[in-house]
Amino acid sequence: MDSVSETLLSANPLRIGGITPLTTIDFPGRLAAVLYGQGCPWRCGYCHNPELLDATTPATVPWPEVLAFLQSRQGLLDGVVFSGGEPTLQAALPAALAQVRALGFQTALHTGGMYPERLQALLPLLDWVGLDIKGPLHAYDAITRTPGSGAKAFASLRHLLASGVAYECRTTWHAGLFSADDLFALADTLADAGVAHWALQECRAPGAAVWALTAGQVERLGARFSGFVVRRG
């Protein structure tokens, strides 16, 4: 069996819960498709894709069908984004990334950073990473409902920054998750760690507190980052 066939077989167990055929926002500067991995061990209250949380749910789209779709988009798309759920949950992800790159696509990953060693191993296969930093370390367990989650996310951040792979850190916030003072402290923590690109996203989940930052506060939050964006609505 040749190496391509072996890679295909090893990627076959990947559970894909859905596909976005075209996006201009999930992989900066590229036209891309998004593949949503099934399963996530964290239980954030504001999760946008709760249908993807259960890791035992079978694939909606089998991997060979995903490949056939991507082959039909060669020359039309620049890249492929692996999102979720949490894509690094699945052991078949490295093989899937290698297969996608062999088709000529650039690759991106959206992750919460819950498996830092796995992320470190994946970085050579990636062109861009969107890493969720859900809050200051002391707030993580309450946000994710998972003990020890913050240490893993910040370990992933260190691996990402050391790799040189292009990235964006993203934080979803409302005042009910943690205070504005904690948000400013988080900005300092990220800047001190060497983060240059940070996106602050308004939490729009039911019951979320009303956006509580003034224009001046937003300006102060972004002052230490060369790339800073606020996403609302």
Side-chain angles (χ1 to χ4, degrees), residues 88-108:
T88 63
L89 176 70
Q90 300 193 50
L93 181 60
L97 283 166
Q99 188 75 22
V100 168
R101 293 176 76 86
L103 292 175
F105 296 106
Q106 293 185 302
T107 51

Side-chain angles (χ1 to χ4, degrees), residues 6-7 19 30 32 66 82 86 91 101 113 116 122 128 130-131 147 149-150 156 175-176 179 182 189 199-200 212 230:
E6 290 174 356
T7 300
I19 298 175
R30 282 84 159 182
V66 174
F82 287 80
E86 173 52 51
R101 293 176 76 86
L122 290 169
W128 186 85
L131 175 63
S149 53
S156 289
S179 70
D182 282 338
T189 297
L200 179 61
V230 174

Side-chain angles (χ1 to χ4, degrees), residues 137-151:
L137 189 61
H138 69 81
Y140 248 89
D141 288 3
I143 294 170
T144 66
R145 303 171 190 174
T146 306
S149 53

Side-chain angles (χ1 to χ4, degrees), residues 152-218:
K152 293 178 179 179
F154 279 94
S156 289
L157 175 61
R158 291 191 292 273
H159 290 318
L160 177 58
L161 294 176
S163 73
V165 173
Y167 70 92
E168 177 185 83
C169 293
R170 299 91 65 86
T171 300
T172 299
W173 180 78
H174 71 84
L177 293 172
F178 51 91
S179 70
D181 287 343
D182 282 338
L183 183 62
F184 279 98
L186 176 61
D188 287 338
T189 297
L190 295 178
D192 290 343
V195 172
H197 304 283
W198 186 36
L200 179 61
Q201 303 176 154
E202 180 181 14
C203 183
R204 305 285 291 183
V210 174
W211 184 257
L213 296 176
T214 67
Q217 287 176 311
V218 169

Side-chain angles (χ1 to χ4, degrees), residues 34-136:
V34 184
L35 310 180
Y36 296 93
Q38 187 72 44
C40 181
W42 292 355
R43 292 296 181 266
C44 306
Y46 55 76
C47 180
H48 291 289
N49 297 315
E51 71 280 1
L52 295 172
L53 292 177
D54 187 354
T56 66
T57 300
T60 301
V61 189
W63 182 246
E65 291 185 20
V66 174
L67 281 181
F69 162 75
L70 293 177
Q71 286 167 340
S72 75
R73 296 301 189 271
Q74 285 176 300
L76 302 174
L77 296 176
D78 306 309
V80 177
V81 181
F82 287 80
S83 188
E86 173 52 51
T88 63
L89 176 70
Q90 300 193 50
L93 181 60
L97 283 166
Q99 188 75 22
V100 168
R101 293 176 76 86
L103 292 175
F105 296 106
Q106 293 185 302
T107 51
L109 176 72
H110 294 176
T111 179
M114 56 202 65
Y115 300 105
E117 293 81 10
R118 295 183 191 179
L119 176 61
Q120 185 179 33
L122 290 169
L123 287 166
L125 295 170
L126 293 166
D127 298 290
W128 186 85
V129 175
L131 175 63
D132 291 332
I133 296 295
K134 296 183 180 294

